[in-house]
């Protein structure tokens, strides 16, 4: 963490640029001598994320991310490296990265990452609940086995939930985002999510600033992210793996017109550790 703040490993059908190194950040900053492009030109997926000195991640037996091959959605891997400050890069350069283990033997189970996030704004001198929720509409059974949270400085608690059509809430995981932002195991490894269930996430933010803080990519901005790493039997993961709400002050879990229309919300449990 002394050099790199966090890293994102993307799977792409087509990369943003076919260059060994290119500038692929969201802030428009271009590293001298490189081209500017998004991480992926098409088929963008987040496969892995690392931050705050997190340890390695080991997948369950028989589970793997499918990369390459004639029918694979992911044909390229792009590693996006975020630096808190360019001054932290040693004069001789930086060799930060991700070590991958791979096999040519097809695995019986395929891994995917479902990504929940919000847009929105946090008012100064306030506690704000940033919420998002989406219903699973594909006829698949997914097995969550790990989760990861991410905010910047204002995050205090991030929690993720499975909500049934009967409004029964089951915790997937929750964490203090100021701790190492690794993928933590889901407590209930027997949990499944099926068509009609809703995946929901909340970030509880506490701001002592005298200004509004918007969602954005810099350290002066904020983020509210909850990642669910899951597996399915066979080689077909979810076609839609992201859920992004408008965030506060427009969107809320219990909002009817522009919200999630959720009931029986575990309000205290969703914002406490």
């Amino acid at each position: 963490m002394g050099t790199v703040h966090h890293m994102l490993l993307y799977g792409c059908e087509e990369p943003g640029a076919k260059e060994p190194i290119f500038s692929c950040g969201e802030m428009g900053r271009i590293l001298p001598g490189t081209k500017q492009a998004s991480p992926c030109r098409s088929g963008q997926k987040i496969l892995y994320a690392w931050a705050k000195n997190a340890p390695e991640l080991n997948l369950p037996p028989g589970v793997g991310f499918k990369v390459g091959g004639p029918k694979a959605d992911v044909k390229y891997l792009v590693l996006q490296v975020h630096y808190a400050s360019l001054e932290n890069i040693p004069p001789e350069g930086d060799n930060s990265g991700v070590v991958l283990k791979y096999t040519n033997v097809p695995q019986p189970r395929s891994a995917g990452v479902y990504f929940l996030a919000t847009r929105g704004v946090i008012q100064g001198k306030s506690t704000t609940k940033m919420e998002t929720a989406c219903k699973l509409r594909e006829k698949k059974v997914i097995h969550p086995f790990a989760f990861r949270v991410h905010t910047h400085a204002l995050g205090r608690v991030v929690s993720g939930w499975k909500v049934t059509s009967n409004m029964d809430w089951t915790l997937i995981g929750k964490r203090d985002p100021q701790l190492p932002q690794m993928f933590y195991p889901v407590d209930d490894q027997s949990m499944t999510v099926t068509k009609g269930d809703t995946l929901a996430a909340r970030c509880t933010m506490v701001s002592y600033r005298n200004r509004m803080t918007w969602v954005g990519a810099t350290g002066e901005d904020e983020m509210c992210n909850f990642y669910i790493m899951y597996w399915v039997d066979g080689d077909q993961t979810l076609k839609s793996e992201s859920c992004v709400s408008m965030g506060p002050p427009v969107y809320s879990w219990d909002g009817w017109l522009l919200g999630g229309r959720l009931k029986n919300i575990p309000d205290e449990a969703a914002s406490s550790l």
Side-chain angles (χ1 to χ4, degrees), residues 168-205:
D168 294 323
W169 292 64
T170 302
L171 180 67
I172 298 172
K174 60 180 174 180
R175 203 74 183 173
D176 177 351
Q178 303 308 319
L179 297 176
Q181 296 181 0
M182 62 180 278
F183 275 92
Y184 292 92
V186 172
D187 286 338
D188 183 3
Q189 292 287 319
S190 67
M191 178 190 299
T192 59
V193 182
T194 59
K195 184 177 181 180
D197 291 336
T198 294
L199 293 171
R202 172 193 283 181
C203 300
T204 302
M205 309 294 220

Side-chain angles (χ1 to χ4, degrees), residues 69-81:
K71 295 183 179 180
D73 294 332
V74 176
K75 292 184 170 61
Y76 293 85
L77 296 176
V78 175
L79 182 65
Q80 186 182 73
V81 182

Side-chain angles (χ1 to χ4, degrees), residues 39-86:
C40 301
R41 182 173 298 174
S42 62
Q44 180 168 300
K45 295 183 177 184
I46 294 177
L47 300 185
Y48 177 68
W50 175 96
K52 290 182 176 286
N53 290 334
E56 67 179 9
L57 172 71
N58 293 307
L59 301 180
V63 175
F65 287 96
K66 186 179 180 181
V67 178
K71 295 183 179 180
D73 294 332
V74 176
K75 292 184 170 61
Y76 293 85
L77 296 176
V78 175
L79 182 65
Q80 186 182 73
V81 182
H82 291 245
Y83 297 94
S85 172
L86 296 181

Side-chain angles (χ1 to χ4, degrees), residues 44-253:
Q44 180 168 300
K45 295 183 177 184
I46 294 177
L47 300 185
Y48 177 68
W50 175 96
K52 290 182 176 286
N53 290 334
E56 67 179 9
L57 172 71
N58 293 307
L59 301 180
V63 175
F65 287 96
K66 186 179 180 181
V67 178
K71 295 183 179 180
D73 294 332
V74 176
K75 292 184 170 61
Y76 293 85
L77 296 176
V78 175
L79 182 65
Q80 186 182 73
V81 182
H82 291 245
Y83 297 94
S85 172
L86 296 181
E87 295 178 358
N88 294 336
I89 300 177
E92 64 273 15
D94 177 39
N95 61 356
S96 300
V98 175
V99 177
L100 303 174
K101 297 179 181 179
Y102 70 93
T103 176
N104 293 323
V105 179
Q107 299 298 291
R109 299 168 174 174
S110 296
V113 176
Y114 193 90
F115 172 69
L116 297 105
T118 80
R119 300 184 180 95
V121 61
I122 301 164
Q123 299 295 328
K125 304 288 186 179
S126 72
T127 296
T128 302
K129 297 170 182 175
M130 309 185 80
E131 298 171 337
T132 183
C134 290
K135 185 173 290 188
L136 188 64
R137 303 190 182 278
E138 299 179 41
K139 195 175 181 180
K140 287 187 173 70
V141 178
I142 71 171
H143 302 254
F145 66 88
F147 72 94
R148 176 184 179 266
V149 305
H150 178 70
T151 71
H152 294 168
L154 304 185
R156 295 297 177 265
V157 181
V158 183
S159 62
W161 302 80
K162 167 192 169 181
V163 189
T164 68
S165 58
N166 294 326
M167 296 297 152
D168 294 323
W169 292 64
T170 302
L171 180 67
I172 298 172
K174 60 180 174 180
R175 203 74 183 173
D176 177 351
Q178 303 308 319
L179 297 176
Q181 296 181 0
M182 62 180 278
F183 275 92
Y184 292 92
V186 172
D187 286 338
D188 183 3
Q189 292 287 319
S190 67
M191 178 190 299
T192 59
V193 182
T194 59
K195 184 177 181 180
D197 291 336
T198 294
L199 293 171
R202 172 193 283 181
C203 300
T204 302
M205 309 294 220
V206 178
S207 175
Y208 297 100
R209 296 170 176 169
N210 294 316
R211 61 173 177 85
M212 295 188 298
T213 303
W214 292 85
V215 169
T218 75
E220 296 300 312
D221 303 317
E222 260 304 337
M223 285 186 174
C224 171
N225 298 342
F226 189 87
Y227 301 80
I228 302 171
M229 191 171 286
Y230 69 91
W231 63 263
V232 296
D233 285 313
D235 62 357
Q236 297 298 315
T237 56
L238 293 173
K239 294 180 181 177
S240 176
E241 291 187 316
S242 64
C243 173
V244 182
S245 77
M246 297 176 68
V250 177
Y251 181 96
S252 64
W253 275 346

